[in-house]
Amino acid sequence: MLMDWTTVLLLGFALFAGAFVQSSIGFGMAVVAAPFLVLFAPELMPGALLVTSFSLPVVQLVHGPRDIAWRSLSWALVARLLVTPLGVVAVAVLSVRAISVVTGLLILLTVVASVSALEVRATPANSVVAGAIAGFSGTAASIGGPFFALVLQHERPTRLRATLSAFFLVGAAMAVTGLSVVGEFTHEHLVAGIVWIPFMALGYAAAAPARARLDRDRLRRAVLAFCVVASVSVIVRAVWF
């Protein structure tokens, strides 16, 4: 595969926006960036996006409080490990068009979960369910955080961000390892992901001074509205074009 470097560099701005959002509300980098990748460079999904999923959590854990909810994290990671092979199989056997539809549907599911009025607590059972969903969605589409974020919604913000960062870091390692075994993680994925790391770092840096002044509720609503429009566009394009 020969990469279109103009497209890869322009997609870096989607990673910038996603990193800004994730640094502000705890998750969202893949949810914001994935629709752009699916529309303009589907051949880079999900591997290149998983590379950036290593980077931002490392930065967050190094520079932020490491206040991790270990019990919830452990249950979620065990479930994610067990289900990750299903996500690997999906990437290996599904067409680019099918992966696009899956990505769009997962983003819509993310929005529904995020606005749900369900009272979800951080119990072992709920952590296992969230981890299992992420095992598939995080591998097939690099979208695995929002479901676990729903489980952690009652944790204080610093603990939520730190726990999600650890979850992203270990989960991305699981996904990349599984995809590499079946030949679905390529050199092009690695290079594109590395190229996007500076964009991600700039997004994180831009969010730092803004976090104290941002209206988190308004930002969250804007992100969710964007996700609905983007995911519907991805599904329509995959089905009809």
Side-chain angles (χ1 to χ4, degrees), residues 60-75:
Q60 290 176 311
L61 288 171
V62 168
H63 294 283
R66 288 179 287 279
D67 181 16
I68 296 172
W70 290 106
R71 184 165 175 262
S72 297
L73 176 64
S74 300
W75 283 109

Side-chain angles (χ1 to χ4, degrees), residues 86-181:
L86 294 179
V88 172
V89 170
V91 174
V93 303
L94 295 179
S95 65
V96 171
R97 178 172 291 189
I99 289 292
S100 298
V101 173
V102 169
T103 301
L105 291 174
L106 285 172
I107 295 172
L108 286 177
L109 180 59
T110 295
V111 173
V112 172
S114 297
V115 301
S116 172
L118 291 176
E119 188 69 13
V120 179
R121 293 288 176 178
T123 64
N126 288 336
S127 297
V128 166
V129 172
I133 295 172
F136 177 82
S137 64
T139 305
S142 193
I143 299 172
F147 312 104
F148 192 37
L150 188 63
V151 172
L152 299 172
Q153 62 182 303
H154 296 293
E155 298 285 359
R156 55 186 177 274
T158 54
R159 172 164 280 201
L160 183 146
R161 282 195 292 267
T163 305
L164 284 177
S165 294
F167 185 66
F168 293 143
L169 181 61
V170 179
M174 293 178 186
V176 168
T177 299
L179 292 171
S180 298
V181 168

Side-chain angles (χ1 to χ4, degrees), residues 211-230:
R211 265 197 294 269
R213 298 189 297 273
L214 280 173
D215 186 323
R216 288 169 56 87
D217 288 335
R218 286 186 179 179
L219 176 62
R220 180 172 171 272
R221 288 195 296 269
V223 170
L224 293 177
F226 162 79
C227 289
V228 170
V229 174

Side-chain angles (χ1 to χ4, degrees), residues 176-196:
V176 168
T177 299
L179 292 171
S180 298
V181 168
V182 298
E184 292 295 334
F185 182 80
T186 67
H187 175 73
E188 286 76 14
H189 291 154
L190 177 61
V191 171
I194 291 174
V195 168
W196 290 334

